Every structure is written in structure tokens, then in C-alpha cells.
Amino acid sequence: MTEAPENLVLVHLRRLEEKVDKLTKNQVELHQAVTTNLQYTQRLGVRMGELRDDLEVMLKAETMGASLSWRRELEGRLDALESELRKI
């Protein structure tokens, strides 16, 4: 038994409609995935900027602390040398 040509056309149209629906769903999912990825990338960029700033502050604090410690040590040694020289 063969189907009438109109029925075959309807069958093919339904198949095409199903494929278009699947493609539309895939496109929506892809758009959502790309949007999510973009948002994640933007948050990551912001966080990296914050981390850079945090690291900069931390390094400055460490450097200043070490510099102050060395300065105090040198001043102490110079004071001791001055005291020794005054005794002479």
C-alpha cells in the first residue's frame, strides 16, 4: 500500500518541523551556554583584577616592612659605631 502524495508531503513536512524544532532548541541551549561562559569570563576578569590589586598591596606591605626592619638595624649599628667612635 502506498500513501497518497499529500500524506507523504505531510509526513516530510512534519519531519522537517521536528528537525527545525530540535535545531531551535539546540540554538537556545547554545546561546545559554555562550552567555553563561561570557558571564563567567567577565567575573574571572574582575576577580583577576582584584587579585592583582591585592597582590600589589601585599608586596608593598612586605617590602616596606622589610625595608623598615633593615633601616632600624642599620641605624642601630650606626648608633653603636658612633658610640664607639665617641669613646675614642
Side-chain angles (χ1 to χ4, degrees), residues 19-37:
K19 288 181 181 181
V20 168
D21 288 344
K22 286 181 184 178
L23 287 173
T24 302
K25 288 177 186 177
N26 287 342
Q27 184 180 10
V28 168
E29 289 174 5
L30 180 62
H31 181 267
Q32 290 171 343
V34 168
T35 301
T36 301
N37 192 14

Side-chain angles (χ1 to χ4, degrees), residues 1-82:
M1 290 197 192
T2 60
E3 296 186 30
E6 305 91 38
N7 291 339
L8 286 175
V9 170
L10 287 175
V11 168
H12 287 292
L13 284 175
R14 283 188 191 116
R15 287 181 186 164
L16 284 173
E17 187 178 29
E18 289 172 3
K19 288 181 181 181
V20 168
D21 288 344
K22 286 181 184 178
L23 287 173
T24 302
K25 288 177 186 177
N26 287 342
Q27 184 180 10
V28 168
E29 289 174 5
L30 180 62
H31 181 267
Q32 290 171 343
V34 168
T35 301
T36 301
N37 192 14
L38 179 61
Q39 291 170 346
Y40 174 75
T41 303
Q42 289 171 341
R43 284 194 313 263
L44 188 61
V46 169
R47 184 64 185 131
M48 292 203 45
E50 292 170 352
L51 288 174
R52 184 184 64 239
D53 294 344
D54 291 348
L55 182 60
E56 181 181 348
V57 169
M58 184 180 73
L59 288 174
K60 284 180 180 178
E62 288 293 325
T63 303
M64 289 173 62
S67 175
L68 183 59
S69 175
W70 291 338
R71 181 178 175 179
R72 286 181 182 159
E73 184 178 337
L74 288 174
E75 286 176 349
R77 288 182 181 184
L78 286 174
D79 289 343
L81 285 173
E82 286 177 357

